[in-house]
Amino acid sequence: MKSRRIFLQKAGLSALALNISTFNPISAMPNFLDSKKMDEKPLRVAIMGLGSYGTRVAEAIQETKRTKLVGVISGTPSKVEAWKTKYGIPAKNCYNYENFDAIKDNPDIDAVYVITPNGLHKDQVIRVAKAGKHAICEKPMAVNAADGQAMVDACKAAGVHLLIGYRMHFEANTLEVIRMRKAGEFGTPLFFQGLSGFIIGDPSQWRLQKSLSGGGAMMDIGIYSINGARYMLGEDPIWVTAQETKNNPEKFKEGIDETIQFQMGFPSGAVASCLSTYSMNNLDRFFLNGTKGWAEMQPSTGYGPINGKTNQGPLDKPHTTHQAVQMDEMAAIIFDGKKPEVPVNGEEGVKDMKIIDAIFKAVKTGEKVSLKLA
Ligand code: NDP
């Protein structure tokens, strides 16, 4: 990584100069502009971080009705070349981590989707905001609530949207359970169980380095149970308790949680019991129980299809690519002021960060930690 940084520092300004001097507006015209008919003005997006999830989002954008991939921000020149060819991205819309503040002078980019390691989100989103572009940021939005709040404040000051990549907030079966709960079809919801985990591989990856990840399984996968508890129950927690188990301290170093079970209490009296782990597979399950009915989903947050049933029968909304639906809905939020059923704004992200801060505190102290999220 050090050599990569040095390369980037050296490449920084000259790469920008090269991009400008070699740009040919006709040859650089994206191919898909012709092949894809947009009824409305598209949200023109640059992706920052061309890794595994960035690649998935780029593919999904090709399916959308209202968004276009028009730019990239990357520290890997070979990826930039490949993406330019694959997606018809003009050289003038390609940046690296050193020069991307210049995006402020690029009228052809509306929004930047930050899909880099968690520990980089705060500074990158703040720079995007200062460049006057809308920021879409992956979960977890930051590595603690204070950083998340700084991102919200920066976007507010710049007058741009900050949206968090909570793709489940737009998933049809998830929304159906939320509709049923709101309609009272489960009676009074009293219990939620969320199980989120997988066995993580390569011990050298950024997800296991505190400075880049901010934590272990909780930041990465446990956040799905936290966020899920909130949208399934329709409330924000007022306390948490949590217990950590670390069986492999070699792999899961100080500050990197392996397995945490945690409990949350809600104003109505409902409770949630959840598991977050990097040491077990096949954990992607939500269960909601009310006085009159129940819903269970497994898988509940994977890329889909989401499977599940309620006491009334199977959940049968058709599968659509989560990231494509998310991007079109985000275009509607930005352009039309649409209010999604479950928010995806920065404030929503900060709530999850406050809960994670409280869970880490509860693990450390062994005490019940009170929360005020409003
Ligand atoms: P990857 O490691 O696959 O990709 C991260 C990319 O970030 C890299 O490829 C690199 O792109 C860029 N990067 C910049 N600086 C660094 C650095 N110091 N170390 C490593 N990479 C760096 O990660 P993912 O794509 O899986 O995850 C990225 C983000 O997306 C995370 O916040 C994660 O939580 C989130 N995510 C969300 C999912 C969802 O379903 N919503 C699913 C998976 C991940 P480049 O070479 O172009 O600079």
Side-chain angles (χ1 to χ4, degrees), residues 1 4-5 49-54 73-76 79 97 115-118 120-121 138-140 165 167 206-207 212 220 224 303 323:
M1 192 46 61
R4 170 191 151 105
R5 294 288 125 206
L50 315 183
S52 140
Y53 197 63
I73 298 143
S74 169
T76 312
K79 289 186 197 168
Y97 299 112
I115 318 186
T116 54
N118 315 334
L120 306 177
H121 293 175
E138 256 319 311
K139 47 57 57 178
R167 61 188 160 76
W206 68 259
R207 282 183 164 80
L212 288 172
D220 193 29
Y224 284 98
Y303 298 139
Q323 296 79 9

Side-chain angles (χ1 to χ4, degrees), residues 149-168:
Q149 189 58 49
M151 294 157 72
V152 168
D153 294 344
C155 289
K156 211 163 259 176
V160 296
H161 282 271
L162 170 58
L163 304 175
I164 313 301
Y166 287 126
R167 61 188 160 76
M168 301 314 297

Side-chain angles (χ1 to χ4, degrees), residues 118 139-140 142-143 213-221 223 353 356 360:
N118 315 334
K139 47 57 57 178
V143 296
S213 61
M218 185 61 66
M219 286 285 174
D220 193 29
I221 192 79
I223 192 171
M353 298 316 304
I356 293 180
F360 287 162

Side-chain angles (χ1 to χ4, degrees), residues 121-133:
H121 293 175
K122 176 194 163 199
D123 287 349
Q124 290 169 339
V125 162
I126 290 175
R127 285 171 67 188
V128 168
K130 285 186 174 157
K133 304 297 176 182

